[in-house]
Amino acid sequence: MFVTHELPGEVIHQLSGLCDVNVWLGPGLLPASGLREELSDCDGVVCLLTDRIDRELIESLPGLRFVSSMSVGVDHIDVQALTARGIPLGHTPGVLVETTADTAFALLLAAARRVSEADRFVRQGEWRRENRWSPDFFTGKDVGGATLGLVGLGEIGQAVARRAQAFGMRVIAWNRTQKEVPGVRLQSLESVLAESDFLSVHLALAPETQGLLDTSRIAAMKPGAVLINTARGGIVDEQALAAALSSGRLYAAGIDVFAEEPVPVDNPLLSLPNVVLTPHIGSATARTRARMADIAAANAIAALRGEPMPHCANPEVYAR
């Protein structure tokens, strides 16, 4: 089998006792052409969210028996193509809930209190005696007592809601299915957009969520609101968001995920001072990443032993 990157954790080391293992050691990430070559005679692969496992690649690998991704989302993989072949796909749900919720709330606070702007101000030597303080010096937006709207009320959305409640925020949410969560009022998407001082996105990327927050829905947000996205790029129209931020209709944004990653240098969000940007680090703590790697390895081990993966994204393959 093939592992597309060196991984943390302990379970990954057990694979070598079950099969021949080849690991990409770099430099950098494995290019797409290299992935096809490395998988040509492999039974399985442990991959990352940066590895594109599309239908063309899957159809070129007649001996492929399983795929295990070190990720919660599987939008980088053609799940239907795997399922059609009866190939199980492992992923790592649940493990990054609290870590990603921390990142979302960190971006919310940083955007509200202009942390990135203030950091640049100090580092660039602009904080001088003659401008050291004034009543409107880097004034921001209050978080306590504000309304937080959640677009998606899964585990991460619920974890963000708990943090918001500790800050005394009113929490409302829209979810694609009915869900009762203590302290959270479920409303229509339109009313969540209109009422939220802060709007945080927590949806998987799928055909029905692609471009969900488009020009019209961003225009329907409460004037002066802050938008946070730690879910997936492609859910938010970045051009429309940049226009709303540039015009002052929206106050700020905190963005961890982009439609194209790495983000292109001509992305308009990069030139705006009222945007906090991070490079898809929602789950980036040492403990969480090690736990994700352990789950991905455990899924691969189960597949090698002919057992159902403990965390399978397409469990219907086992019903055949």
PDB file of all heavy atoms in Angstrom, residues 160-173:
ATOM      1  N   VAL A 160     -19.244  25.418  18.318  1.00  0.00           N
ATOM      2  CA  VAL A 160     -19.127  26.879  18.243  1.00  0.00           C
ATOM      3  C   VAL A 160     -20.253  27.529  19.053  1.00  0.00           C
ATOM      4  O   VAL A 160     -20.035  28.532  19.744  1.00  0.00           O
ATOM      5  CB  VAL A 160     -19.155  27.350  16.774  1.00  0.00           C
ATOM      6  CG1 VAL A 160     -19.225  28.877  16.693  1.00  0.00           C
ATOM      7  CG2 VAL A 160     -17.916  26.842  16.041  1.00  0.00           C
ATOM      8  N   ALA A 161     -21.452  26.955  18.994  1.00  0.00           N
ATOM      9  CA  ALA A 161     -22.580  27.491  19.758  1.00  0.00           C
ATOM     10  C   ALA A 161     -22.274  27.484  21.255  1.00  0.00           C
ATOM     11  O   ALA A 161     -22.597  28.445  21.966  1.00  0.00           O
ATOM     12  CB  ALA A 161     -23.835  26.676  19.466  1.00  0.00           C
ATOM     13  N   ARG A 162     -21.656  26.423  21.743  1.00  0.00           N
ATOM     14  CA  ARG A 162     -21.307  26.365  23.169  1.00  0.00           C
ATOM     15  C   ARG A 162     -20.337  27.477  23.545  1.00  0.00           C
ATOM     16  O   ARG A 162     -20.459  28.089  24.616  1.00  0.00           O
ATOM     17  CB  ARG A 162     -20.709  24.999  23.514  1.00  0.00           C
ATOM     18  CG  ARG A 162     -21.687  23.840  23.417  1.00  0.00           C
ATOM     19  CD  ARG A 162     -21.141  22.576  24.055  1.00  0.00           C
ATOM     20  NE  ARG A 162     -19.960  22.055  23.372  1.00  0.00           N
ATOM     21  CZ  ARG A 162     -19.999  21.199  22.356  1.00  0.00           C
ATOM     22  NH1 ARG A 162     -21.169  20.803  21.872  1.00  0.00           N
ATOM     23  NH2 ARG A 162     -18.887  20.744  21.806  1.00  0.00           N
ATOM     24  N   ARG A 163     -19.376  27.747  22.697  1.00  0.00           N
ATOM     25  CA  ARG A 163     -18.425  28.824  22.973  1.00  0.00           C
ATOM     26  C   ARG A 163     -19.132  30.176  22.953  1.00  0.00           C
ATOM     27  O   ARG A 163     -18.876  31.042  23.795  1.00  0.00           O
ATOM     28  CB  ARG A 163     -17.291  28.777  21.935  1.00  0.00           C
ATOM     29  CG  ARG A 163     -16.318  27.636  22.176  1.00  0.00           C
ATOM     30  CD  ARG A 163     -15.613  27.196  20.908  1.00  0.00           C
ATOM     31  NE  ARG A 163     -14.627  26.146  21.163  1.00  0.00           N
ATOM     32  CZ  ARG A 163     -14.929  24.872  21.385  1.00  0.00           C
ATOM     33  NH1 ARG A 163     -16.192  24.490  21.400  1.00  0.00           N
ATOM     34  NH2 ARG A 163     -13.978  23.986  21.613  1.00  0.00           N
ATOM     35  N   ALA A 164     -20.042  30.344  21.998  1.00  0.00           N
ATOM     36  CA  ALA A 164     -20.770  31.608  21.892  1.00  0.00           C
ATOM     37  C   ALA A 164     -21.644  31.849  23.119  1.00  0.00           C
ATOM     38  O   ALA A 164     -21.751  32.982  23.615  1.00  0.00           O
ATOM     39  CB  ALA A 164     -21.622  31.596  20.627  1.00  0.00           C
ATOM     40  N   GLN A 165     -22.276  30.796  23.610  1.00  0.00           N
ATOM     41  CA  GLN A 165     -23.134  30.933  24.787  1.00  0.00           C
ATOM     42  C   GLN A 165     -22.327  31.361  26.009  1.00  0.00           C
ATOM     43  O   GLN A 165     -22.810  32.134  26.843  1.00  0.00           O
ATOM     44  CB  GLN A 165     -23.875  29.619  25.038  1.00  0.00           C
ATOM     45  CG  GLN A 165     -24.952  29.338  23.994  1.00  0.00           C
ATOM     46  CD  GLN A 165     -25.343  27.867  23.894  1.00  0.00           C
ATOM     47  OE1 GLN A 165     -24.826  27.021  24.620  1.00  0.00           O
ATOM     48  NE2 GLN A 165     -26.241  27.549  22.969  1.00  0.00           N
ATOM     49  N   ALA A 166     -21.073  30.894  26.103  1.00  0.00           N
ATOM     50  CA  ALA A 166     -20.207  31.306  27.210  1.00  0.00           C
ATOM     51  C   ALA A 166     -19.855  32.789  27.120  1.00  0.00           C
ATOM     52  O   ALA A 166     -19.537  33.411  28.138  1.00  0.00           O
ATOM     53  CB  ALA A 166     -18.923  30.470  27.219  1.00  0.00           C
ATOM     54  N   PHE A 167     -19.941  33.360  25.914  1.00  0.00           N
ATOM     55  CA  PHE A 167     -19.693  34.785  25.724  1.00  0.00           C
ATOM     56  C   PHE A 167     -20.980  35.608  25.835  1.00  0.00           C
ATOM     57  O   PHE A 167     -20.974  36.814  25.584  1.00  0.00           O
ATOM     58  CB  PHE A 167     -19.061  35.031  24.349  1.00  0.00           C
ATOM     59  CG  PHE A 167     -17.568  34.899  24.340  1.00  0.00           C
ATOM     60  CD1 PHE A 167     -16.966  33.652  24.424  1.00  0.00           C
ATOM     61  CD2 PHE A 167     -16.747  36.016  24.247  1.00  0.00           C
ATOM     62  CE1 PHE A 167     -15.588  33.520  24.412  1.00  0.00           C
ATOM     63  CE2 PHE A 167     -15.372  35.893  24.244  1.00  0.00           C
ATOM     64  CZ  PHE A 167     -14.779  34.646  24.321  1.00  0.00           C
ATOM     65  N   GLY A 168     -22.063  34.954  26.177  1.00  0.00           N
ATOM     66  CA  GLY A 168     -23.327  35.664  26.320  1.00  0.00           C
ATOM     67  C   GLY A 168     -23.959  36.041  25.000  1.00  0.00           C
ATOM     68  O   GLY A 168     -24.767  36.979  24.927  1.00  0.00           O
ATOM     69  N   MET A 169     -23.648  35.301  23.948  1.00  0.00           N
ATOM     70  CA  MET A 169     -24.227  35.592  22.636  1.00  0.00           C
ATOM     71  C   MET A 169     -25.576  34.902  22.474  1.00  0.00           C
ATOM     72  O   MET A 169     -25.803  33.821  23.036  1.00  0.00           O
ATOM     73  CB  MET A 169     -23.287  35.120  21.524  1.00  0.00           C
ATOM     74  CG  MET A 169     -21.917  35.764  21.531  1.00  0.00           C
ATOM     75  SD  MET A 169     -20.871  35.219  20.139  1.00  0.00           S
ATOM     76  CE  MET A 169     -21.476  36.312  18.832  1.00  0.00           C
ATOM     77  N   ARG A 170     -26.442  35.508  21.721  1.00  0.00           N
ATOM     78  CA  ARG A 170     -27.681  34.863  21.280  1.00  0.00           C
ATOM     79  C   ARG A 170     -27.320  34.034  20.051  1.00  0.00           C
ATOM     80  O   ARG A 170     -26.665  34.527  19.123  1.00  0.00           O
ATOM     81  CB  ARG A 170     -28.721  35.913  20.926  1.00  0.00           C
ATOM     82  CG  ARG A 170     -29.953  35.405  20.201  1.00  0.00           C
ATOM     83  CD  ARG A 170     -30.906  36.545  19.903  1.00  0.00           C
ATOM     84  NE  ARG A 170     -32.031  36.102  19.083  1.00  0.00           N
ATOM     85  CZ  ARG A 170     -32.238  36.471  17.832  1.00  0.00           C
ATOM     86  NH1 ARG A 170     -31.393  37.307  17.217  1.00  0.00           N
ATOM     87  NH2 ARG A 170     -33.297  36.035  17.162  1.00  0.00           N
ATOM     88  N   VAL A 171     -27.721  32.762  20.032  1.00  0.00           N
ATOM     89  CA  VAL A 171     -27.318  31.874  18.943  1.00  0.00           C
ATOM     90  C   VAL A 171     -28.545  31.408  18.166  1.00  0.00           C
ATOM     91  O   VAL A 171     -29.486  30.843  18.739  1.00  0.00           O
ATOM     92  CB  VAL A 171     -26.539  30.652  19.470  1.00  0.00           C
ATOM     93  CG1 VAL A 171     -26.048  29.799  18.295  1.00  0.00           C
ATOM     94  CG2 VAL A 171     -25.353  31.096  20.321  1.00  0.00           C
ATOM     95  N   ILE A 172     -28.525  31.643  16.854  1.00  0.00           N
ATOM     96  CA  ILE A 172     -29.555  31.163  15.949  1.00  0.00           C
ATOM     97  C   ILE A 172     -28.867  30.334  14.872  1.00  0.00           C
ATOM     98  O   ILE A 172     -27.656  30.435  14.675  1.00  0.00           O
ATOM     99  CB  ILE A 172     -30.365  32.317  15.325  1.00  0.00           C
ATOM    100  CG1 ILE A 172     -29.445  33.272  14.551  1.00  0.00           C
ATOM    101  CG2 ILE A 172     -31.129  33.067  16.404  1.00  0.00           C
ATOM    102  CD1 ILE A 172     -30.183  34.418  13.868  1.00  0.00           C
ATOM    103  N   ALA A 173     -29.606  29.504  14.178  1.00  0.00           N
ATOM    104  CA  ALA A 173     -28.971  28.622  13.199  1.00  0.00           C
ATOM    105  C   ALA A 173     -29.945  28.204  12.117  1.00  0.00           C
ATOM    106  O   ALA A 173     -31.167  28.163  12.324  1.00  0.00           O
ATOM    107  CB  ALA A 173     -28.416  27.378  13.889  1.00  0.00           C
TER     108      ALA A 173
END
